[in-house]
Amino acid sequence: MFHKFAVWLANALNLGDMPRFYDAFVFFVDDTIKILLLLTIMMGVMTFLRLHLPMKKIEKFIKGKFFVFSHFLGAVFGAITPFCSCSSLPLFFTFLTSGIPSGVAFSFLITSPLVNEVALVLIWGFFGFKFMIFWLITAILLGTFLGIIFEILGLEKYLTADIKNAKKITTKNEIAQKAFFEKIVFSFKKGIKLTKNVFLYVVIGIFVGSLIHGFVPENYFAEKISADNLFAVPIAVILAVPLYANASGVIPIVQSLVAKGIPLGTALAFMMATVGLSFPEAMILKKAMNWKLLAIFFSSVAICIVLIGYLANLLF
């Protein structure tokens, strides 16, 4: 629906004579509307859930588990939630402001966009059962490992003041006084407000992605990550960062790269970086992290994805 509107708007503006600009414009309008709407809905849903979920019990349950296992639980929860990187952020923010250990929140954030059930089926169909299991295990271990490292290093000190000082959105008495419909209205007003706070960051990220989409030649990526290039895996990760897609959407692209002779591990690294690291995600995360933590987060995930890519090339 959003894509059709973007195409209609581009045609109404007579952009058809400039095909590259036309493609970039359609991508920008489509993704901007889609992501902002999705963010607003998810922010509203997470706010509503926080009015009802026993966050203290959840916090106690997670803290009561063995240190490594609690991070593993966070990663597994990320794997079973069908979120892309941007739509997983509201729940990540909820974790951070609800007393759940920051490392567990990071384990969720890292794994959540990488894995969903549709992507599992697609990878199984395109690349086989063994590769699907490899991808699933490495994605969960990636989130678990980095979440543990981030917590051991105490990186929560680099969270922004907004996150550190966040309080419960309402008191128990206020919750009890609100009718069900009032809670819904309250939640989505809160969602709109939170989306407004990250609006500029999201638009900047999507704008960069639209330029890549519209003006970079189709064969550019395949040429840069060819099989005879020793540095193809890190190059694939770097090239993927400006892009934005969910796991299900990028898998057919990965399949086409493999069909052109790109090694499976290199294509996997490209896919993981596309869905797990993106400019829109970085722009939104800037509201929760200072630049140092944002750099640590992105570089750590990128390095691990590169290692996974090389390992996959050795095994497959």
Side-chain angles (χ1 to χ4, degrees), residues 183-196:
K183 291 178 183 178
I184 294 177
V185 173
F186 171 83
S187 298
F188 282 92
K189 281 184 177 179
K190 185 75 173 180
I192 292 171
K193 182 179 178 180
L194 293 171
T195 302
K196 284 181 178 178

Side-chain angles (χ1 to χ4, degrees), residues 158 160 201 282-283 286 289-297:
Y158 297 117
T160 61
Y201 299 100
M283 295 297 98
K286 182 62 183 68
M289 309 176 185
N290 67 19
W291 286 111
K292 185 171 184 178
L293 179 53
L294 195 62
I296 292 172
F297 173 78

Side-chain angles (χ1 to χ4, degrees), residues 90-281:
L91 189 52
F92 171 68
F93 293 152
T94 297
F95 284 165
L96 290 179
T97 57
S98 299
I100 290 175
S102 60
V104 176
F106 275 109
S107 293
F108 164 81
L109 178 66
I110 293 167
T111 305
S112 179
L114 297 179
V115 182
N116 65 57
E117 58 274 16
V118 177
L120 282 171
V121 173
L122 289 175
I123 288 183
W124 188 354
F126 281 132
F127 308 115
F129 181 75
K130 289 183 179 180
F131 186 76
M132 183 267 288
I133 293 298
F134 173 84
W135 168 69
L136 176 62
I137 291 175
T138 53
I140 292 176
L141 290 180
L142 172 61
T144 303
F145 172 73
L146 287 182
I148 291 171
I149 296 299
F150 289 172
E151 187 151 337
I152 290 175
L153 295 178
L155 297 183
E156 65 271 8
K157 62 187 176 184
Y158 297 117
L159 294 171
T160 61
D162 288 343
I163 294 295
K164 289 180 180 179
N165 300 329
K167 298 179 180 180
K168 293 297 182 181
I169 56 177
T170 184
T171 66
K172 290 184 178 180
N173 289 333
E174 289 173 328
I175 294 174
Q177 293 171 1
K178 290 183 181 294
F180 182 80
F181 180 75
E182 289 177 321
K183 291 178 183 178
I184 294 177
V185 173
F186 171 83
S187 298
F188 282 92
K189 281 184 177 179
K190 185 75 173 180
I192 292 171
K193 182 179 178 180
L194 293 171
T195 302
K196 284 181 178 178
N197 291 339
V198 300
F199 175 82
L200 180 61
Y201 299 100
V202 174
V203 171
I204 291 173
I206 297 172
F207 178 73
V208 173
S210 67
L211 293 179
I212 299 292
H213 179 83
F215 293 94
V216 175
E218 291 182 2
N219 293 327
Y220 179 81
F221 295 110
E223 292 172 357
K224 294 297 181 182
I225 56 177
S226 58
D228 56 353
N229 187 345
L230 179 63
F231 301 101
V233 176
I235 291 174
V237 172
I238 293 171
L239 292 176
V241 171
L243 306 177
Y244 173 77
N246 60 32
S248 305
V250 79
I251 289 172
I253 299 174
V254 171
Q255 196 275 337
S256 67
L257 291 175
V258 172
K260 292 181 178 181
I262 303 302
L264 200 52
T266 305
L268 173 66
F270 178 81
M271 181 194 76
M272 295 181 80
T274 300
V275 301
L277 302 170
S278 69
F279 277 156
E281 179 189 14

Side-chain angles (χ1 to χ4, degrees), residues 26-42:
V26 169
F27 180 92
F28 177 77
V29 173
D30 181 23
D31 267 31
T32 299
I33 298 174
K34 181 168 55 182
I35 291 175
L36 289 176
L37 181 61
L38 184 60
L39 269 178
T40 302
I41 293 172
M42 290 303 302

